[in-house]
Amino acid sequence: MHSDSHDYSRAQLDDPDEAGDPIDPGECLVIDAGAGVGERLDRFLARMLPEYSRTRLQHWIAIGAVRCDQRPAASSMRLSGFERIEIEPQPLEAERAFVAEPVPLAVVHQDDDLLVIDKPAGLVVHPAAGNWSGTLLNGLLHRDAGQARLPRAGIVHRLDKDTSGLMVVARNEAARQSLTMQLADRTVSRRYLAIVAGRSPGAGSIDAPIGRDPSNRLRMAVVDPRHGRSARTDFRRLALGRIGGREVSLVECRLHTGRTHQIRVHLRSIGHALLGDALYNGPAGAPWPTRQMLHAWRLSFAHPSGARQCLFRSEPPADFTACLRVAGIGEAPTLLASHGDPGESS
């Protein structure tokens, strides 16, 4: 549908990240950039959307609520005229979200181009409804004011609030573009450890589209291809155990795509919901863990400088290893070593 006064339409905006608590996207604005050749993104949007102030639009760009061809873009980006611009209007609370706050961050690597962070469970990555402060983004701005020059303060992918583990954050625009491109090209390797209900298959690949669950807007689900986006998760079982008389499995997952809640949705779809994942009907409440047992343990990507391939590993946090002990399963690093690393071809 096209407006009589502006060249934009209304559409559903899907979240391309694996991570992040889902935000009901509602109606979003979609604008063809054909009338803005050579113009700055923020100035073009201010001209096309006079009902919003330029300052407000710049805030939306900063927190990642504006995408060009499904990727966050900087206010200063010059348009070629071929972009498809998607805008998710934000409430007034978002105006105060892009601020520095002393949020502790576990930085495992830092150089001029990027940071690698080991995120604890419970930390929200990006401001959104119900979490407008105290996020990883706020902590990044406090740690380095220069991150404010980048959309989402350099965040290029997310983890769910209650998922722990490794994330990479860009520190300049060239690095952001490089990492974003690698994510889009699926050349970033992301591996996760999950503890799931039941005896999972020994190994497999789940190739099933994911979209918003029509019966519960807080959840995602495997849906008809016409209503979702392609998604693939490879997995292998590392160990079996028992909790409360019920079998559980320790599983390693590799993402080939990065859809919201992808691992949680895919494993549930084959009958093996994550322990502690109440949203997706995983066992919760004593003797089960209080958050979903999902940890991003391994992250590999090409350094934006082109100089080398980077590989980082993170041992599971205390609550994850405690759950393994209760289940009678050995330590995850030992299990990974005994199974070997299948490499990037898996």
Side-chain angles (χ1 to χ4, degrees):
M1 179 181 74
H2 290 278
S3 166
D4 292 334
S5 57
H6 308 303
D7 184 20
Y8 61 79
S9 59
R10 306 271 174 176
Q12 295 289 320
L13 181 59
D14 190 20
D15 188 336
D17 300 317
E18 196 290 316
D21 296 332
I23 305 168
D24 190 335
E27 284 193 328
C28 295
L29 308 178
V30 179
I31 301 177
D32 185 333
V37 178
E39 197 169 357
R40 278 175 55 117
L41 174 63
D42 57 351
R43 291 174 183 166
F44 174 70
L45 292 181
R47 181 164 60 83
M48 298 300 293
L49 301 171
E51 61 268 42
Y52 302 115
S53 70
R54 183 176 172 185
T55 298
R56 191 172 191 189
L57 290 167
Q58 286 173 331
H59 276 298
W60 293 358
I61 293 169
I63 65 172
V66 176
R67 294 176 178 271
C68 288
D69 297 328
Q70 299 187 346
R71 299 174 188 171
S75 292
S76 58
M77 170 187 173
R78 295 285 177 177
L79 298 172
S80 69
F82 295 101
E83 295 86 358
R84 181 178 188 266
I85 304 171
E86 298 169 322
I87 306 102
E88 186 177 8
Q90 298 293 300
L92 290 175
E93 291 91 339
E95 309 300 305
R96 299 182 292 274
F98 202 76
V99 296
E101 294 178 345
V103 178
L105 301 176
V107 176
V108 299
H109 173 81
Q110 175 178 332
D111 59 39
D112 291 341
D113 294 312
L114 57 87
L115 299 168
V116 176
I117 294 170
D118 199 346
K119 187 188 87 67
L123 177 62
V124 175
V125 169
H126 193 268
N131 295 285
W132 293 116
S133 63
T135 70
L136 186 145
L137 179 146
N138 301 120
L140 287 171
L141 294 174
H142 183 267
R143 193 174 190 279
D144 179 2
Q147 298 289 140
R149 294 191 293 268
L150 302 173
R152 297 202 210 186
I155 295 169
V156 294
H157 67 119
R158 295 189 290 180
L159 295 175
D160 296 333
K161 174 183 177 182
D162 287 329
T163 297
S164 56
L166 297 170
M167 293 179 55
V168 60
V169 176
R171 299 193 68 200
N172 55 58
E173 181 59 17
R176 188 187 72 83
Q177 291 188 21
S178 172
L179 293 168
T180 299
M181 184 64 69
Q182 291 182 60
L183 286 161
D185 292 343
R186 304 177 184 178
T187 55
V188 175
S189 176
R190 291 172 285 171
R191 296 179 188 273
Y192 294 71
L193 294 174
I195 310 176
V196 304
R199 178 186 288 258
S200 77
S205 182
I206 306 169
D207 195 341
I210 290 176
R212 194 71 56 175
D213 187 336
S215 65
N216 183 342
R217 298 295 292 173
L218 294 178
R219 299 197 312 196
M220 309 300 286
V222 170
V223 298
D224 185 284
R226 295 171 298 175
H227 305 299
R229 302 181 68 192
S230 63
R232 177 183 163 191
T233 305
D234 292 345
F235 68 90
R236 58 175 180 153
R237 188 183 68 222
L238 300 178
L240 287 168
R242 284 185 174 273
I243 296 179
R246 296 167 60 181
E247 277 193 310
V248 300
S249 304
L250 173 64
V251 176
E252 185 196 34
C253 298
R254 181 189 175 198
L255 291 178
H256 288 268
T257 51
R259 310 306 178 206
T260 301
H261 295 179
Q262 179 172 319
I263 291 173
R264 298 164 68 186
V265 171
H266 270 172
L267 291 179
R268 177 179 183 263
S269 75
I270 62 169
H272 300 288
L274 272 65
L275 302 193
D277 193 352
L279 182 62
Y280 289 100
N281 303 123
W288 308 99
T290 57
R291 60 104 175 175
Q292 72 252 13
M293 290 288 96
L294 186 60
H295 176 68
W297 84 274
R298 186 181 186 277
L299 178 65
S300 176
F301 54 88
H303 193 276
S305 68
R308 64 189 185 279
Q309 189 74 15
C310 299
L311 172 62
F312 299 92
R313 294 185 176 92
S314 165
E315 292 193 9
D319 63 343
F320 195 101
T321 56
C323 186
L324 292 177
R325 286 196 298 271
V326 171
I329 297 174
E331 295 291 331
T334 302
L335 290 164
L336 286 163
S338 66
H339 281 75
D341 189 333
E344 299 309 307
S345 60
S346 66

PDB file of all heavy atoms in Angstrom, residues 153-166:
ATOM      1  N   ALA A 153      25.586   0.956  18.331  1.00  0.00           N
ATOM      2  CA  ALA A 153      26.868   1.041  19.040  1.00  0.00           C
ATOM      3  C   ALA A 153      27.832  -0.059  18.604  1.00  0.00           C
ATOM      4  O   ALA A 153      28.683  -0.503  19.372  1.00  0.00           O
ATOM      5  CB  ALA A 153      26.657   0.979  20.557  1.00  0.00           C
ATOM      6  N   GLY A 154      27.705  -0.504  17.353  1.00  0.00           N
ATOM      7  CA  GLY A 154      28.613  -1.507  16.813  1.00  0.00           C
ATOM      8  C   GLY A 154      28.138  -2.940  16.941  1.00  0.00           C
ATOM      9  O   GLY A 154      28.813  -3.860  16.481  1.00  0.00           O
ATOM     10  N   ILE A 155      26.986  -3.152  17.543  1.00  0.00           N
ATOM     11  CA  ILE A 155      26.445  -4.509  17.697  1.00  0.00           C
ATOM     12  C   ILE A 155      25.994  -5.023  16.327  1.00  0.00           C
ATOM     13  O   ILE A 155      25.181  -4.381  15.654  1.00  0.00           O
ATOM     14  CB  ILE A 155      25.264  -4.523  18.686  1.00  0.00           C
ATOM     15  CG1 ILE A 155      25.756  -4.142  20.090  1.00  0.00           C
ATOM     16  CG2 ILE A 155      24.575  -5.885  18.711  1.00  0.00           C
ATOM     17  CD1 ILE A 155      24.640  -3.880  21.080  1.00  0.00           C
ATOM     18  N   VAL A 156      26.519  -6.169  15.918  1.00  0.00           N
ATOM     19  CA  VAL A 156      26.184  -6.720  14.597  1.00  0.00           C
ATOM     20  C   VAL A 156      25.352  -7.998  14.686  1.00  0.00           C
ATOM     21  O   VAL A 156      24.807  -8.461  13.687  1.00  0.00           O
ATOM     22  CB  VAL A 156      27.445  -6.977  13.753  1.00  0.00           C
ATOM     23  CG1 VAL A 156      28.136  -5.660  13.409  1.00  0.00           C
ATOM     24  CG2 VAL A 156      28.412  -7.924  14.469  1.00  0.00           C
ATOM     25  N   HIS A 157      25.283  -8.606  15.859  1.00  0.00           N
ATOM     26  CA  HIS A 157      24.397  -9.759  16.072  1.00  0.00           C
ATOM     27  C   HIS A 157      24.067  -9.804  17.553  1.00  0.00           C
ATOM     28  O   HIS A 157      24.682  -9.107  18.359  1.00  0.00           O
ATOM     29  CB  HIS A 157      25.043 -11.066  15.600  1.00  0.00           C
ATOM     30  CG  HIS A 157      26.233 -11.498  16.409  1.00  0.00           C
ATOM     31  ND1 HIS A 157      26.296 -12.675  17.111  1.00  0.00           N
ATOM     32  CD2 HIS A 157      27.434 -10.889  16.630  1.00  0.00           C
ATOM     33  CE1 HIS A 157      27.461 -12.794  17.718  1.00  0.00           C
ATOM     34  NE2 HIS A 157      28.174 -11.713  17.437  1.00  0.00           N
ATOM     35  N   ARG A 158      23.081 -10.607  17.904  1.00  0.00           N
ATOM     36  CA  ARG A 158      22.620 -10.595  19.286  1.00  0.00           C
ATOM     37  C   ARG A 158      22.515 -12.003  19.861  1.00  0.00           C
ATOM     38  O   ARG A 158      22.518 -12.990  19.135  1.00  0.00           O
ATOM     39  CB  ARG A 158      21.243  -9.920  19.376  1.00  0.00           C
ATOM     40  CG  ARG A 158      21.259  -8.449  19.008  1.00  0.00           C
ATOM     41  CD  ARG A 158      19.946  -7.785  19.327  1.00  0.00           C
ATOM     42  NE  ARG A 158      18.861  -8.219  18.450  1.00  0.00           N
ATOM     43  CZ  ARG A 158      17.609  -7.767  18.544  1.00  0.00           C
ATOM     44  NH1 ARG A 158      17.279  -6.891  19.470  1.00  0.00           N
ATOM     45  NH2 ARG A 158      16.683  -8.201  17.706  1.00  0.00           N
ATOM     46  N   LEU A 159      22.413 -12.051  21.167  1.00  0.00           N
ATOM     47  CA  LEU A 159      22.063 -13.262  21.888  1.00  0.00           C
ATOM     48  C   LEU A 159      20.830 -12.957  22.728  1.00  0.00           C
ATOM     49  O   LEU A 159      20.656 -11.829  23.197  1.00  0.00           O
ATOM     50  CB  LEU A 159      23.204 -13.705  22.813  1.00  0.00           C
ATOM     51  CG  LEU A 159      24.521 -14.152  22.159  1.00  0.00           C
ATOM     52  CD1 LEU A 159      25.564 -14.443  23.239  1.00  0.00           C
ATOM     53  CD2 LEU A 159      24.314 -15.363  21.275  1.00  0.00           C
ATOM     54  N   ASP A 160      19.997 -13.962  22.936  1.00  0.00           N
ATOM     55  CA  ASP A 160      18.842 -13.778  23.809  1.00  0.00           C
ATOM     56  C   ASP A 160      19.294 -13.356  25.202  1.00  0.00           C
ATOM     57  O   ASP A 160      20.412 -13.659  25.629  1.00  0.00           O
ATOM     58  CB  ASP A 160      18.053 -15.085  23.943  1.00  0.00           C
ATOM     59  CG  ASP A 160      17.448 -15.550  22.644  1.00  0.00           C
ATOM     60  OD1 ASP A 160      17.182 -14.705  21.778  1.00  0.00           O
ATOM     61  OD2 ASP A 160      17.222 -16.768  22.502  1.00  0.00           O
ATOM     62  N   LYS A 161      18.415 -12.707  25.918  1.00  0.00           N
ATOM     63  CA  LYS A 161      18.721 -12.251  27.272  1.00  0.00           C
ATOM     64  C   LYS A 161      19.286 -13.377  28.135  1.00  0.00           C
ATOM     65  O   LYS A 161      20.293 -13.199  28.827  1.00  0.00           O
ATOM     66  CB  LYS A 161      17.454 -11.689  27.920  1.00  0.00           C
ATOM     67  CG  LYS A 161      17.609 -11.323  29.391  1.00  0.00           C
ATOM     68  CD  LYS A 161      16.292 -10.851  29.983  1.00  0.00           C
ATOM     69  CE  LYS A 161      16.435 -10.562  31.470  1.00  0.00           C
ATOM     70  NZ  LYS A 161      15.142 -10.143  32.080  1.00  0.00           N
ATOM     71  N   ASP A 162      18.665 -14.547  28.095  1.00  0.00           N
ATOM     72  CA  ASP A 162      19.074 -15.634  28.973  1.00  0.00           C
ATOM     73  C   ASP A 162      20.002 -16.642  28.302  1.00  0.00           C
ATOM     74  O   ASP A 162      20.191 -17.749  28.815  1.00  0.00           O
ATOM     75  CB  ASP A 162      17.845 -16.342  29.544  1.00  0.00           C
ATOM     76  CG  ASP A 162      17.140 -15.492  30.588  1.00  0.00           C
ATOM     77  OD1 ASP A 162      17.833 -14.719  31.275  1.00  0.00           O
ATOM     78  OD2 ASP A 162      15.905 -15.589  30.720  1.00  0.00           O
ATOM     79  N   THR A 163      20.591 -16.270  27.176  1.00  0.00           N
ATOM     80  CA  THR A 163      21.644 -17.062  26.549  1.00  0.00           C
ATOM     81  C   THR A 163      22.981 -16.432  26.890  1.00  0.00           C
ATOM     82  O   THR A 163      23.134 -15.217  26.821  1.00  0.00           O
ATOM     83  CB  THR A 163      21.453 -17.121  25.020  1.00  0.00           C
ATOM     84  OG1 THR A 163      20.224 -17.780  24.720  1.00  0.00           O
ATOM     85  CG2 THR A 163      22.597 -17.867  24.353  1.00  0.00           C
ATOM     86  N   SER A 164      23.940 -17.249  27.261  1.00  0.00           N
ATOM     87  CA  SER A 164      25.275 -16.753  27.606  1.00  0.00           C
ATOM     88  C   SER A 164      26.227 -17.007  26.450  1.00  0.00           C
ATOM     89  O   SER A 164      25.940 -17.790  25.543  1.00  0.00           O
ATOM     90  CB  SER A 164      25.781 -17.462  28.867  1.00  0.00           C
ATOM     91  OG  SER A 164      25.774 -18.872  28.688  1.00  0.00           O
ATOM     92  N   GLY A 165      27.375 -16.327  26.481  1.00  0.00           N
ATOM     93  CA  GLY A 165      28.423 -16.645  25.544  1.00  0.00           C
ATOM     94  C   GLY A 165      28.946 -15.513  24.696  1.00  0.00           C
ATOM     95  O   GLY A 165      28.747 -14.327  24.998  1.00  0.00           O
ATOM     96  N   LEU A 166      29.612 -15.870  23.604  1.00  0.00           N
ATOM     97  CA  LEU A 166      30.449 -14.961  22.835  1.00  0.00           C
ATOM     98  C   LEU A 166      29.690 -14.146  21.799  1.00  0.00           C
ATOM     99  O   LEU A 166      28.825 -14.668  21.084  1.00  0.00           O
ATOM    100  CB  LEU A 166      31.551 -15.755  22.133  1.00  0.00           C
ATOM    101  CG  LEU A 166      32.542 -16.475  23.047  1.00  0.00           C
ATOM    102  CD1 LEU A 166      33.427 -17.406  22.241  1.00  0.00           C
ATOM    103  CD2 LEU A 166      33.389 -15.467  23.835  1.00  0.00           C
TER     104      LEU A 166
END
